[in-house]
Structure formats: C-alpha cells, structure tokens
Amino acid sequence: MNPLTLSSTDLAARAGNLSPVLGRYFERSWSHGEGHRLYDTDGRAYLDFANGIAVTALGHHHPRVTAAIHAQVDRLIGPTNAMGFAEPVVRLAELLAAALPDPIDTVMFLNSGSEAIDGALKLARRVTGRPGIVAFRGSFHGRTYGATSITSSSLNYRAGYEPFLPSVHLVPYPAAYRLHGGDEEAATAASLAALRDLTATTIPATSVAAVVVEPIQGEGGYIPAPLPFLRDLREFCDVHGILLVADEVQSGYGRTGRMWAFEHAGIVPDVVVMAKAIANGLPLSAIASRRELQERWGKGAHGSTYGGNPVACAAGVAVLETIRDEGLVANAAERGGELTTGLRALMAEDDRIGDVRGPGLMVGVEFVRDRATREPAVEAAEAAMQRAADLGLLVLSCGPSHEVVRWIPPLNVTAAEIAEGLELFGEALRTT
Ligand SMILES: Cc1ncc(COP(=O)(O)O)c(C=O)c1O
C-alpha cells in the first residue's frame, strides 16, 4: 500500500475547496479498503455494511475485479461507444442479457443511475409517442433533471428546482408500515386507486408513456412494495400499453436474494435500469429492454461519450462472473435471513425499533418514538448509526427524515461477519 501524503487531520483541514453541497454521513477520512473492511487514515478498520451505498457489492479490492481492471487499463482505456466495439463491452452486454429474464436482451450503457433513468424516460416518450410519466411518492431516482422530476424522497432534492419535466405525475407508493398500519392489502389498494383516479381525472392512460417504480424504495426508507401491487401494476401497464420501468439501481444485482427485486413478484418489466453494483465502484449504468424497444428508440436518439467505458465494463464482466461462479445471489438470501432474524431479536429488546423489513441483504430498521404512533425517531437512528461507526461498523440511514438505518452488506458477506455486525449494532443500541 502506498503511504498517504496527508494525515487525517490535514485531509479534513484541507477539504475547504470541496463543494459543501455534497451531503456526508461521516466526517471521517478514508485510506483504503480490503475485503469487507474499510480503513480510515488512522489505520482503524471498519466492517463495511454500507459499501458506498450498495456499490462495492463484492467488497473492496476484490482480486478478480481488480485484476480485470488492471488488465484492461493496460490494453485500452478508450475509445468508447462512438468508435465501434470493444470486447469487454460486448461481453458485459451478453452476460447481462443472460442475467435478465426474457425477452430483455438489449442493453445501453451509461455512467450513473440518474443518467440511465433520464435515458429510460427519453426512451419511453420517444417509443410510445406519449408524454406522461407516472412515478411514486417517496421514490429516489437521481439528481439529473429528469430523475429529479420523478424523485420525492426528500424535499431538499426538489426545493428550488422547479419547473420540473412537464407531464410527470406522482402517486402514493404502497408504504404499508408508514401509511397503512402495516396492512399491505390496504396499501396496495390505495396506491392502485390513486393510479386509477389519476388516469380517470387528470391524464388519460393512453397519454402515459411509462410508470417508473423502485420495487423496493431505497433512499425513501428501504420499503418493499407488496408483491401483489407489482403484479397489479404490471397488469395496469399491459392493459393501457404503458411501459413499466423498474429502477433496480439499488435493489438489483442479487442484493435481495434474487438477481432483480422484481423477480420476487414474478413479473418482467419492459425496461430495467441498473447502476451502483454493476462495476463494483467504477462508474457504469445500463438501460435494459427487449431489442424492439431500443430499435424503435432509433439510432442516435440517445448517446454518451463515456457510457460503456471498456475499463468499467471489464470490471462489470468480473462482477457478474463472480456473482454467478460463487453463488452470491443464494448467499445474499441466506445471510439476509440471518441478518433479519438477528435484527428482529434486537427489536424485541428495544422499543425504539418499530420495524425490520426487506428481503435478502437490503434490510431497513425503522426507528420510532412510539410503536403505536410510528412517529419517526430521527435522533435515535442518527445516534445508532454514529455510535455503530465509533464501534467499527458502517451502516447508513435513509428515509424522508433519515429515521431508517439500512443494512447493505456485501453479497459475499459471511455468517461470521453478519454475527459481528449484529453484535456491534446491539452494542451501539445499548450505549445510545
Ligand atoms: C433507486 C435509485 N435510482 C437512481 C439512483 C441514482 O443513481 P446515481 O447516484 O448513480 O446517479 C439511485 C442512487 O442512490 C438510486 O438509489
């Protein structure tokens, strides 16, 4: 490991040229990562169950990914799309097509989740010839203008940015715990009723190009949509010729114990948007759909200078091969079961925890002031997260007022590490 030039104190003191607009969970300085540990600049190791928000899903400095990156850097960094074909790009597209359900077989590579969401909105409008976009309250789809227009997980992501993209309509997400006393049927019925009401009173369904949904809301608070809701949404889109766009940026790539979160509902969306874990840390995203849709989108209708960079795609190939060869989707399901059981045991002893939810390794722990009123306990969640970090465990908050502590362990996490994380979190709860 090369020694760092700046000490942790120097780093923090010299960060004054960095924009204050970026939110940070911690005021810590990081040196390097190895496996499932992130090291601060004082050499202290932290069990990393945050993974840069679901990005380094195979852990840090993964040998196979690192070797693939090194090899590709030595061979060819650019050119990208506009010049023709490069092997890692073609191979990643093949592997992704194999990892997606039929008839999804075509991918367009971009650089970030937001950019891919914007691309999916453009695809939907161009292909259907319709203007309307429907999305769900509390969702997070990114920071570019299109993505911001359909995001409402926090007012801070919208305030002062109007006017947004026109013809966007937000309807309630079926957030059972928060809005319906935990009743998933009521949550499903209410969201579908709002959707039907929208298309009966505000915009005809024949003018809606796409419904964009996170099968599990991420930034919004780790809230899984009830599976019947996703099936009904699929049917609604089928009936009205609307494209169903699944935002799998946070929930995809094996995280939930299935390769894609929509698979839990047994549905196939028209468009799948992915990013984050796709290249274990290098910038890369993709819009996937059946070929016919991207053919109708039209040559040159969208593009990107850097999208599908060969180095990022080489990392992406190594990520998908590792997930496949090491059975990591099954590992996420198994370790996720242990995690949820352990968190529920902690919940039984601590009434600040109102809910533990989410499949696989995408688990949210919601803090409440009172289990009956479900009023968010923002300070308790923040205190638990910061105390956990002091003790050597990295977990992050999410939710409209950051009342949920989310667990995003790497897909190759071990049972011993899950036990260690639970032990540290239990200690954090006992001491805050
Ligand atoms: C579900 C979802 N969609 C889109 C995005 C935006 O991705 P990016 O930050 O790569 O632009 C995020 C980022 O957190 C996300 O969680």
Side-chain angles (χ1 to χ4, degrees):
M1 187 70 43
N2 298 329
L4 289 170
T5 324
L6 297 176
S7 72
S8 55
T9 340
D10 285 348
L11 262 181
R14 287 175 55 173
N17 295 106
L18 284 175
S19 171
V21 77
L22 283 176
R24 288 190 187 84
Y25 284 100
F26 305 110
E27 295 298 322
R28 297 168 193 267
S29 302
W30 304 105
S31 155
H32 62 283
E34 191 60 50
H36 300 160
R37 309 279 157 174
L38 192 59
Y39 290 80
D40 70 16
T41 37
D42 297 322
R44 187 160 175 243
Y46 298 74
L47 182 60
D48 188 1
F49 281 6
N51 291 301
I53 317 191
V55 172
T56 44
L58 300 186
H60 301 283
H61 198 209
H62 188 278
R64 207 159 158 182
V65 179
T66 304
I69 292 171
H70 278 298
Q72 188 59 38
V73 164
D74 286 338
R75 177 183 290 275
L76 182 69
I77 296 174
T80 49
N81 301 309
M83 300 300 289
F85 303 109
E87 185 177 313
V89 188
V90 172
R91 283 189 61 212
L92 182 56
E94 279 174 357
L95 284 172
L96 268 173
L100 283 154
D102 288 341
I104 301 176
D105 59 358
T106 299
V107 297
M108 183 196 186
F109 290 118
L110 293 157
N111 305 285
S112 70
S114 307
E115 211 189 322
I117 286 288
D118 271 37
L121 299 183
K122 288 169 76 177
L123 177 156
R125 281 186 167 170
R126 174 73 76 100
V127 165
T128 62
R130 302 173 177 189
I133 307 287
V134 174
F136 292 90
R137 287 206 196 110
S139 299
F140 183 87
H141 297 290
R143 306 290 200 151
T144 49
Y145 246 107
T148 298
S149 300
I150 58 169
T151 286
S152 57
S153 58
S154 161
L155 193 59
N156 195 27
Y157 303 157
R158 294 177 68 85
Y161 294 145
E162 288 188 72
F164 294 112
L165 215 56
S167 213
V168 164
H169 302 270
L170 303 180
V171 293
Y173 190 77
Y177 177 76
R178 204 166 293 147
L179 302 180
H180 299 278
D183 183 340
E184 297 208 336
E185 253 177 62
T188 297
S191 287
L192 287 169
L195 190 58
R196 293 204 179 95
D197 182 62
L198 176 80
T199 51
T201 62
T202 311
I203 177 170
T206 47
S207 294
V208 177
V211 172
V212 186
V213 68
E214 288 172 275
I216 299 174
Q217 277 191 342
E219 299 307 301
Y222 273 37
I223 308 173
L227 302 181
F229 171 77
L230 293 175
R231 290 194 274 271
D232 289 347
L233 201 58
R234 176 68 275 181
E235 197 188 326
F236 180 85
C237 290
D238 283 342
V239 167
H240 298 290
I242 298 169
L243 296 179
L244 180 60
V245 179
D247 181 344
E248 291 270 1
V249 168
Q250 194 154 167
S251 58
Y253 258 77
R255 171 123 321 268
T256 65
R258 295 281 176 90
M259 189 61 194
W260 312 103
F262 62 74
E263 287 179 273
H264 293 277
I267 61 161
V268 179
D270 298 290
V271 179
V272 181
V273 174
M274 65 199 80
K276 286 193 183 284
I278 186 171
N280 210 51
L282 290 188
L284 184 65
S285 63
I287 305 169
S289 74
R290 59 186 182 273
R291 186 154 202 86
E292 168 248 337
L293 284 181
Q294 304 211 21
E295 272 169 0
R296 281 164 56 205
W297 197 3
K299 203 173 257 312
H302 196 47
S304 163
T305 297
Y306 293 116
N309 170 276
V311 180
C313 286
V317 168
V319 167
L320 267 188
E321 286 179 345
T322 304
I323 290 176
R324 182 194 62 198
D325 296 351
E326 297 183 9
L328 296 185
V329 180
N331 190 60
E334 280 163 36
R335 302 288 83 76
E338 293 158 10
L339 176 60
T340 299
T341 305
L343 288 171
R344 295 228 161 102
L346 292 176
M347 176 176 163
E349 288 164 14
D350 192 327
D351 58 14
R352 291 172 298 175
I353 300 179
D355 197 22
V356 171
R357 57 175 177 253
L361 296 171
M362 186 169 184
V363 182
V365 177
E366 179 145 346
F367 284 75
V368 290
R369 284 189 194 284
D370 175 341
R371 280 187 182 161
T373 64
R374 301 180 178 200
E375 191 190 335
V378 179
E379 306 76 20
E382 170 71 15
M385 177 183 82
Q386 295 297 345
R387 180 77 185 128
D390 289 342
L391 294 169
L393 168 70
L394 296 175
V395 283
L396 302 176
S397 61
C398 63
S401 43
H402 283 263
E403 64 276 47
V404 177
V405 170
R406 56 178 144 176
W407 291 66
I408 331 170
L411 301 177
N412 48 6
V413 68
T414 64
E417 287 165 335
I418 292 287
E420 183 187 346
L422 287 165
E423 181 62 37
L424 290 169
F425 196 62
E427 175 67 13
L429 289 174
R430 281 189 292 278
T431 52
T432 49

